[in-house]
């Protein structure tokens, strides 16, 4: 019995193209790295898009949601839960309080330190 080849939806076909992309890292030194990152911020681009622009490659014009991200270990969640007086398994509230702390920091409000 011959297998029938499944036809992927168009959205998934685009994802398949993305899977074939290769991540390339440039080790160019701190001064170059900082220069590109600063220019990217000034142009409201992420560094990858600025590098693509510099190299003459196409840039995804679709607006992207600006977000900051970090990786948090279970110990990090425990630390933040204690800092914000929350349960360690209440990850949604921990994320919410962490976001509030970032906003306060960015707006220049004094931040309560836990190491005092």
């Amino acid at each position: 019995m011959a297998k029938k080849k499944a036809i992927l939806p168009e959205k998934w076909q685009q994802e398949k193209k993305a899977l074939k992309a290769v991540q390339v890292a440039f080790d160019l030194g701190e001064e170059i790295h900082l220069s590109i990152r600063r220019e990217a911020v000034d142009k409201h681009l992420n560094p990858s898009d600025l590098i693509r622009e510099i190299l003459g490659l196409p840039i995804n014009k679709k607006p992207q949601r600006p977000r900051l991200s970090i990786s948090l270990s279970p110990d990090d969640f425990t630390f933040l839960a204690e800092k914000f007086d929350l349960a360690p398994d209440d990850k949604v509230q921990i994320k919410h309080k962490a976001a509030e702390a970032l906003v306060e920091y960015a707006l220049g409000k004094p931040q309560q330190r836990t190491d005092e």
Side-chain angles (χ1 to χ4, degrees):
M1 182 185 259
K3 276 193 172 182
K4 192 174 183 181
K5 190 171 184 177
I7 299 175
L8 294 173
E10 186 174 334
K11 181 179 179 183
W12 290 8
Q13 290 174 8
Q14 295 301 319
E15 298 286 332
K16 190 175 176 182
K17 286 181 188 177
L19 289 174
K20 292 182 181 180
V22 175
Q23 182 79 28
V24 177
F26 298 98
D27 187 9
L28 303 173
E30 187 175 349
E31 185 177 327
I32 302 300
H33 177 82
L34 289 175
S35 175
I36 288 173
R37 289 185 67 195
R38 284 185 184 120
E39 185 175 343
V41 168
D42 290 343
K43 290 184 169 187
H44 302 282
L45 295 172
N46 63 44
S48 298
D49 285 343
L50 179 60
I51 291 168
R52 293 185 68 81
E53 180 181 284
I54 291 167
L55 297 175
L57 295 168
I59 298 171
N60 184 1
K61 299 289 186 192
K62 185 176 21 169
Q64 295 183 5
R65 186 174 69 204
R67 60 182 159 192
L68 300 169
S69 63
I70 61 170
S71 297
L72 297 175
S73 70
D75 288 342
D76 295 332
F77 276 107
T78 299
F79 173 84
L80 291 173
E82 289 174 12
K83 176 178 179 162
F84 301 133
D85 196 28
L86 297 167
D89 61 338
D90 193 353
K91 291 181 169 62
V92 172
Q93 270 306 94
I94 292 170
K95 179 181 173 183
H96 179 74
K97 288 292 191 179
E100 286 178 356
L102 293 174
V103 169
E104 287 178 11
Y105 176 86
L107 296 177
K109 295 179 180 176
Q111 189 70 22
Q112 181 182 359
R113 299 183 55 117
T114 59
D115 58 348
E116 293 178 344

